Amino acid sequence: MPDPADQNAGAQAEDAGQPQLRRRRDLRRADGSVQDAWTGTMPAVTPSPSSSNDAGLPLTRRTSWAEAAAAADATKPSRAPSPASAAPSQPAPPARQPAADPVVPPIAFVPSAEPSSEPTAAEAEATPEAAVPPSDVPSPTPSFRRSRPTVADAIAESPMPDFISSPGLFVKEQKPRPRGGIRGALYNLTGGAWNLGPGPKQRQEDELARRISRQLQGSYNTAILSLKGGIGKTSTTVGVGLTLAEYRGDAPCAIDANPDSGDLVERALGEGIYQQASPRTITDLLENIESIDSLTALARYMHHAGRLHLIAGEQDPEVSDSLTAEEYLRIRKLISSYYAVALTDCGTGVTHNAMSGILQSADNLVIAAGYAVSGAKRARSTLHWLASHGYEDLARNAIVVITDKDEVSSRVDKDAIEEHLAGICRQLIAVPHDRGVADGDLVTLDVLKPETRRAYKQIAAAIVDGYQ
């Protein structure tokens, strides 16, 4: 039986502006069920106009969480006014119920790309006079502004670390292992748990090794010469050559260009081993130089003292002085194709036939000298001769090596000789007296004193430093 008209009118007046509740009540009345069925929508709650807390505030009708959030943001005084609120106020449309407060139109949050074309029932009933066709009025889209950067923004703005040039960003630097002394003993006793690092002496040795092993771009040649024989020229060539072979990644080459039956290979290999080997010399290399097109073919004319490769000088006195400057330049050109570092033992004097070719292709010089007064004077004369014959750069950048081969008496002022020669060259290095050098026989690094080996390392490092 239908309800009386006055009751229906009261219900309609009571349910004005709440279409969702009205539809749910009608459904209950139709089927007679007592419990409400879940409809999947949030009922709008209209605050009581008579509440003391809301006195003076406009009545807000919330039909969804987005509308409630938008209405709450609109009432905050600290937020900047929106363009809509900054515009001049328009007269409110006449409300359907005189007793109700003005209704703030809700802001709908539309998650899809295109706004919905149909207004909701609450919007249509709240402002029926202002309702226009959906195609004419675009629905407002909320604008959101982040108050703090996100993790993705922080990662995008942070600089990308360079794993190649800065590997230490992710791996702690490990101290080098100490060798010898108290530091080395402590390291061995604790199994590496206590690593104090290398001492000052070991750090100096490591720095010399780093300078010697420096990578080179191209091929370089160092000439070792003197005006006086028997003062350590050939022994210096062998000692420095073996040191270069020990620390460099590429094998060095030593050429015996001594016109006076040089003994470079004998000092590097020993007299017995050299006699047993095939006695190929620099003369044999010149005779077949046109057929050599590889390092394998070149190795047939060379001797090997470990990683030091050597070209023996001519032993026949009638032929040894026949090496010309052009022939040496041909050999130097061939060697430069396979070796980055070459040492040339020039013999005694600077005026023999091949000397002009040697000086022309040399990148730096080593001047051999001794603590004897005659040896020091000849070293100075050699530098003066170079400077006066067009080799000023070679003389200025020369390395003077004083070898205490004969162990001169205390009457000789060694400090005065060193000071006398140090001012006319790039660097002066002294080699102490060592029986392994003074005997004139085989030179091996294993039998040399630590001070002698260190001197050869200093010479090798100075030679490589001169390669520009």
Side-chain angles (χ1 to χ4, degrees):
M1 181 176 182
D3 295 336
D6 55 348
Q7 294 181 2
N8 291 339
Q12 292 177 1
E14 182 182 357
D15 298 335
Q18 299 185 18
Q20 299 290 340
L21 293 179
R22 185 171 65 252
R23 286 196 297 269
R24 292 176 60 188
R25 187 191 62 185
D26 294 342
L27 292 174
R28 290 199 303 270
R29 290 178 179 177
D31 55 10
S33 60
V34 179
Q35 297 181 355
D36 292 342
W38 177 255
T39 59
T41 60
M42 179 184 294
V45 180
T46 304
S48 175
S50 61
S51 176
S52 60
N53 296 334
D54 299 334
L57 296 178
L59 182 61
T60 302
R61 181 173 300 160
R62 305 177 179 88
T63 60
S64 67
W65 65 270
E67 295 176 4
D73 292 341
T75 59
K76 289 183 179 180
S78 59
R79 181 166 297 185
S82 61
S85 62
S89 61
Q90 300 294 335
R96 175 169 295 186
Q97 296 182 8
D101 293 333
V103 179
V104 179
I107 300 176
F109 178 78
V110 182
S112 59
E114 297 181 357
S116 176
S117 60
E118 297 182 0
T120 60
E123 295 175 349
E125 186 173 353
T127 55
E129 292 82 3
V132 295
S135 60
D136 297 336
V137 180
S139 61
T141 57
S143 61
F144 297 96
R145 182 178 59 186
R146 290 195 179 104
S147 59
R148 65 182 63 181
T150 63
V151 177
D153 295 337
I155 295 176
E157 294 176 1
S158 62
M160 178 64 67
D162 191 351
F163 295 93
I164 299 178
S165 62
S166 302
L169 293 176
F170 305 97
V171 179
K172 293 182 180 180
E173 184 179 359
Q174 186 177 2
K175 292 182 180 179
R177 177 179 178 178
R179 298 187 300 270
I182 299 178
R183 296 170 181 258
L186 185 62
Y187 181 90
N188 295 330
L189 289 175
T190 60
W194 287 7
N195 185 2
L196 302 179
K201 185 176 181 181
Q202 182 178 341
R203 289 197 296 268
Q204 294 176 2
E205 295 290 332
D206 294 341
E207 176 62 18
L208 288 176
R210 184 195 63 80
R211 292 165 56 190
I212 297 172
S213 61
R214 179 172 65 91
Q215 185 177 4
L216 300 175
Q217 302 294 331
S219 180
Y220 299 89
N221 180 33
T222 297
I224 296 93
L225 55 93
S226 67
L227 292 181
K228 183 180 183 300
I231 57 177
K233 176 183 55 61
T234 301
S235 62
T236 300
T237 305
V238 176
V240 173
L242 293 174
T243 304
L244 290 170
E246 181 179 357
Y247 290 98
R248 289 195 58 81
D250 48 3
C253 175
I255 306 172
D256 190 351
N258 191 341
D260 300 324
S261 301
D263 58 348
L264 176 66
V265 178
E266 290 92 324
R267 298 294 300 275
L269 298 179
E271 185 71 26
I273 298 178
Y274 175 68
Q275 295 297 332
Q276 296 175 4
S278 175
R280 294 182 178 272
T281 64
I282 192 171
T283 304
D284 300 323
L285 177 61
L286 285 171
E287 292 177 354
N288 302 276
I289 195 170
E290 297 296 338
S291 61
I292 299 175
D293 55 358
S294 65
L295 183 60
T296 303
L298 178 60
R300 297 174 55 194
Y301 302 92
M302 306 190 74
H303 304 268
H304 301 83
R307 297 183 65 249
L308 176 61
H309 300 179
L310 305 108
I311 299 179
E314 183 58 53
Q315 300 299 311
D316 188 356
E318 297 181 358
V319 185
S320 61
D321 196 24
S322 62
L323 182 66
T324 64
E326 292 77 13
E327 291 174 341
Y328 175 82
L329 291 176
R330 293 177 63 188
I331 295 176
R332 176 70 188 98
K333 182 179 179 181
L334 176 65
I335 295 299
S336 63
S337 301
Y338 305 104
Y339 295 92
V341 178
L343 304 177
T344 301
D345 186 1
C346 302
T348 303
V350 292
T351 58
H352 57 82
N353 296 334
M355 201 64 203
S356 60
I358 295 173
L359 295 176
Q360 181 181 344
S361 63
D363 296 284
N364 52 20
L365 298 178
V366 173
I367 307 299
Y371 279 112
V373 177
S374 58
K377 287 183 178 180
R378 283 178 171 81
R380 184 178 181 88
S381 300
T382 302
L383 294 173
H384 279 296
W385 184 91
L386 292 171
S388 60
H389 286 77
Y391 303 104
E392 295 88 351
D393 292 339
L394 290 177
R396 187 185 309 110
N397 296 318
I399 304 167
V400 175
V401 176
I402 302 179
T403 303
D404 191 4
K405 187 176 180 180
D406 299 328
E407 199 171 12
V408 296
S409 65
S410 58
R411 293 179 58 250
V412 178
D413 191 349
K414 296 182 179 180
D415 295 336
I417 293 177
E418 292 179 1
E419 183 179 356
H420 177 73
L421 296 175
I424 57 177
C425 62
R426 175 166 63 91
Q427 189 171 353
L428 185 141
I429 301 173
V431 179
H433 179 75
D434 196 321
R435 292 292 300 269
V437 176
D439 290 342
D441 193 10
L442 176 66
V443 177
T444 57
L445 299 180
D446 296 337
V447 301
L448 298 179
K449 296 179 180 179
E451 296 80 6
T452 306
R453 296 192 60 176
R454 177 177 175 81
Y456 286 150
K457 289 179 66 175
Q458 291 176 343
I459 299 171
I463 289 175
V464 178
D465 290 343
Y467 296 153
Q468 303 295 336

